[in-house]
């Protein structure tokens, strides 16, 4: 399954581990075991790089929560649980869409509860392409 691509999708995910390596004293991330052990219903905070089409500031960076739906080879499929601030509502990239991500993208975790587990079992507004 392909990762989000900035040129193809208009957004991509930043590597949280790279942020941590660049500033280990000020940019905390959960330990690897926690990031690799997410289960359906857990919430993972990811850093999104979004094309906004403004010539003066063409890229917005936002931290948003993603609800883990399932574990897949190499990572997870999740559902975006926030609405991006930098763009208008749309069908391609908005809360409720499915997206893949990996442990190295995760910068924070909120553990699952009954409500988030039930939400993770629901169908997303739009599935991520499987090919």
């Amino acid at each position: 399954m392909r990762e989000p691509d900035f040129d193809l999708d208009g957004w991509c995910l930043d590597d949280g581990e790279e942020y941590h390596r660049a500033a280990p004293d000020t940019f905390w991330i959960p330990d690897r075991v926690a990031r690799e052990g997410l289960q359906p219903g857990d919430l993972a905070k990811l850093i999104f790089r979004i094309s906004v089409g403004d010539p003066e500031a063409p890229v917005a960076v936002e931290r948003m929560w993603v609800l883990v739906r399932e574990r897949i080879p190499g990572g997870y499929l999740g559902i975006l649980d926030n609405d991006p601030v930098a763009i208008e509502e749309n069908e391609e990239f908005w809360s409720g869409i499915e997206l893949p991500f990996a442990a190295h993208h995760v910068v924070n975790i909120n553990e699952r509860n009954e409500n988030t587990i039930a939400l993770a079992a629901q169908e997303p507004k739009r599935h991520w392409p499987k090919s």
Side-chain angles (χ1 to χ4, degrees):
M1 178 172 303
R2 74 172 181 83
E3 287 191 9
D5 178 88
F6 188 83
D7 294 325
L8 181 62
D9 300 307
W11 62 276
C12 65
L13 298 170
D14 281 355
D15 187 325
E17 291 178 358
E18 287 183 15
Y19 279 81
H20 178 68
R21 278 191 294 276
D25 294 333
T26 57
F27 196 92
W28 173 88
I29 60 174
D31 67 38
R32 178 168 287 284
V33 171
R35 291 182 286 118
E36 290 180 349
L38 297 175
Q39 297 296 321
D42 286 333
L43 286 155
K45 186 172 274 188
L46 312 178
I47 301 173
F48 292 80
R49 188 166 298 275
I50 307 165
S51 174
V52 294
D54 180 345
E56 293 184 25
V59 178
V61 177
E62 295 190 33
R63 296 180 191 196
M64 294 188 283
W65 290 103
V66 174
L67 179 64
V68 177
R69 284 193 77 219
E70 65 180 280
R71 296 173 66 94
I72 60 172
Y76 307 96
L77 271 177
I79 299 172
L80 184 60
D81 197 47
N82 287 123
D83 296 328
V85 174
I87 57 175
E88 293 184 21
E89 185 172 352
N90 63 81
E91 295 295 318
E92 298 297 314
F93 184 60
W94 204 254
S95 63
I97 66 149
E98 183 179 66
L99 60 108
F101 66 97
H104 67 92
H105 296 119
V106 176
V107 298
N108 204 352
I109 297 170
N110 276 343
E111 291 185 13
R112 63 194 170 279
N113 60 41
E114 289 180 17
N115 183 49
T116 61
I117 291 169
L119 289 172
Q122 296 179 359
E123 286 296 309
K125 289 180 183 175
R126 184 176 66 86
H127 285 277
W128 186 257
K130 301 298 183 207
S131 56

